[in-house]
Amino acid sequence: MRVVLAVHGGAGSWRVDATTLATVKMTIKQALEEGFKAYHSGSSLDMVVSAVEVLENSGVFNAGIGSVVDLSGSISMDAGVMYRGRAGAVAYVKYPKNPIKLARFVLEKTDHVIIAGDAADNIAKKIGLEPHPGPSKKVLELYKDYLNRIVKGEAKSIPYPKSLAAWLSLGDTVGAVALDRNGDLAAGVSTGGVFLKMPGRVGDSPIPGAGFYANECGAAVATGVGEYIILTHATFRIVEDICKGKDVQEAVGSVLKSIDSVYGSGVAGFIALDRFGRVAGLYNTHAMPWGFITESGELRILGI
Ligand code: ASP
């Protein structure tokens, strides 16, 4: 069995300076290495959760401590994991620093798939998850800058969700897919959602079949405009196509093409893995930093 872990840092424009670019690549590498350590003793679920945790803690991406804010200046996050036919997800949570850990709790310790809002935050407190420190300085500066532009008349409020794609440059969702030595596949995703979303908005990331999906044939995670990903059942379709015998690259490519034909380019990206350890990362945005690591020691960083 070929053991593989792949991660991504979100589809977007990623027009960043050289220092940020180096940090992005280094963080992807750290997430791959850290997540892969779990393979010696653990499962593909351990691999995706620990890789996503590194990305959430980095502050580099729009997840965990790097989460962007909504129109009211508050953070709300979504996350989900799927493994061995079960899924666990949290939506609209504000308390935990690592929503991916709370999603794992839902998968392993409850009979439910999605738990949302205050009730999910209360669980996070009860099980002793670390609290979120609040929006980062960088995110608050972007928010203030945007409000100033509205006051000066240089920017209007955003027609929702039509121009959400324009905001994908502000750091993006993170995700991971893994295959372990038992042949079990897992998918995990975590996000702060889209910048300046309406308070209460939930994206694709906590919805199985939209933001993430894994079964015995394959695993896939999504990034991009959640509304479009939900409406196209994107990751479910990718994995279904893999089950029907499509090559993983072809499966991702055809779903991306169909999203492109309805919603245009610049809106989505995916990574996917099949049960043979074949991996693909495709996006119709300018960039999507992603990478993979295999048990033979191959580590590649792509997409940026
Ligand atoms: N898919 C995420 C959402 O819509 C955003 C992203 O991938 O950047 O919540």
Side-chain angles (χ1 to χ4, degrees), residues 168 172-173 191 193-194 201 203-204 223-224 226:
L168 287 178
D172 297 291
T173 295
T191 187
V194 285
R201 181 260 192 192
D204 58 299
T223 166

Side-chain angles (χ1 to χ4, degrees), residues 110-243:
T110 78
D111 294 326
H112 306 303
V113 172
I114 307 176
I115 299 189
D118 292 347
D121 281 329
N122 285 337
I123 296 174
K125 284 177 208 163
K126 275 199 186 119
I127 64 172
L129 292 187
E130 260 185 87
H132 195 287
S136 71
K137 220 172 125 210
K138 184 179 102 186
V139 165
L140 283 179
E141 271 162 18
L142 282 168
Y143 179 66
K144 280 184 201 143
D145 179 55
Y146 185 74
L147 292 188
N148 282 338
R149 283 169 51 210
I150 293 182
V151 172
K152 287 188 200 151
E154 291 166 14
K156 295 202 172 82
S157 62
I158 298 175
Y160 192 87
K162 279 269 185 281
S163 58
L164 284 179
W167 297 98
L168 287 178
S169 56
L170 293 166
D172 297 291
T173 295
V174 303
V177 286
L179 172 67
D180 62 27
R181 53 169 54 147
N182 296 323
D184 288 319
L185 288 138
V189 59
S190 180
T191 187
V194 285
F195 185 47
L196 301 178
K197 62 190 176 183
M198 286 173 68
R201 181 260 192 192
V202 170
D204 58 299
S205 303
I207 301 175
F212 65 104
Y213 200 75
N215 65 13
E216 65 291 349
C217 320
V221 286
T223 166
V225 180
E227 283 68 9
Y228 304 157
I229 296 164
I230 293 169
L231 291 172
T232 51
H233 307 167
T235 56
F236 177 75
R237 281 168 63 195
I238 291 171
V239 174
E240 273 297 288
D241 279 356
I242 295 173
C243 288

